Amino acid sequence: MTDVTAPPPSTGPERPHGGSTSRLWKFVILLLAAATLVALAIRLFGGSEDAPPVPEGIGIDRVVGPDSYALELARTETTVANTRQRLENAPDQWLLREAYTGALSRRASLTGNYTDLAAIDRELARAFQDAPTGAGPIVSAAAHAITVHRLDDAERYLDQADRFAVQPNDAGRAEWLGMRGDIAFYRGNYDEALRYYRASARLSEDIGSLTRLSTYELKHGRFDEAEADIRRAGATAKTPSPYLAAFFFLRLADVGLASGDWAMAARNIAAANRAFEGWWLAEAYQAQMLALQGDVNGAVALYAKAANQSNDPLVMDALAALLRANGRIAEAKPWIAKAQGIWDRRMAALPSAARGHAVEHELALGDPAKALRIAAADFATRPHGQTAIMLASAELANGQPEKALALLKQVDRSGWVSARAWALRAEAEALMGDGKASDAARAEAEKIDPKIFDPAQSYIWFGHG
């Protein structure tokens, strides 16, 4: 879910937005759907195996469960197989089908596999067919809808849940409020989102509510508060696993990357890899850091390992961009082609979930005009800061600085804080011929992230602000 490499040339095809300030975006789902992923993770992270102490910094002293990606995945595969077998023995039982979708969700949260996400769509639809009128996997469907960015569906399911005759306990109710907050957040209604998140935390200050709050604080430029929320979230975990520990370390790394504290990011990325060995996402983050530190060959090797293990197209994109930036065009081409095929299939199967990262691919390695179409569709359904910034990036890449500038001003007025947004605004102002405004925007960008104009910024595909 994140990677790093060595500084590229100041110009070149790996800079999709037409200027030295350009950066690409990575794994929006992890950050902005943190609530859903954490809810899935809580169910996954049980276990009886004792693991060594984890490094300090996230409020977790010891962990329980498999301490490697391979072992965690094997256990998850067993859960999937067992729940599928129970369903095959009673295929008309919608509760068993819901349990099966939960197992698929857990596997998808670990692997990033869109095949499982598409299967969940089908299984939930079948469960609703088999359930009595007014029943069915309503809350699970709401969580899945948020994961794949179908906000109207999620809201409709939560409205149904609110009419349940028997309401959940405080922890369950807190999760519903948190999902309401996620919907508001994605729609750009940040004040409303914060009210839901705080209400959720008042009912149950736990991993879900605190992780949501940390995302809100991060995207509003309150880095110390975001870091504190992440550490508090770790301290609330009742049976923390190595996977969960690694997740929190990567969240801290995201804070470091967004604020320009690359040393902090490096420490936490290393801690994530120690806590949960062999996780392709943590390794992608580590590859990214190697690139930032100038070890191109090491970054290429680790990216390739993570790409082959995960088959994740974003990892392939990061690898291809790194290779191209360093003149290794022939090596980059197969990765570009493979990633393109996967993005095309994901866009066909689950466009709402795939758009955000497909835009990154098209801007960096594909067709800017196609990127603009995808970014516009994504912003239309999720008009929040990240989709706005991606749309502005696409507009700049297509020679539309006026539109980009208007949108970036809207981002600033909304309260979203991003060095990337101000860097793009500086670019747009310069293209519009206003050097004074461009300099002012550059200064604002550097206040948020002192490294925003470092040439190595184009290497950051994971954890960017």
Side-chain angles (χ1 to χ4, degrees), residues 59-79:
I60 295 175
D61 296 324
R62 296 193 68 85
V63 290
V64 177
D67 61 358
S68 74
Y69 177 81
L71 291 173
E72 186 70 63
L73 181 59
R75 188 169 70 168
T76 305
E77 296 286 7
T78 298
T79 301

Side-chain angles (χ1 to χ4, degrees), residues 345-369:
R345 290 192 293 276
R346 288 184 173 188
M347 283 293 294
L350 282 172
S352 62
R355 288 187 190 113
H357 297 310
V359 170
E360 296 181 279
H361 171 85
E362 296 298 342
L363 284 172
L365 304 164
D367 179 1

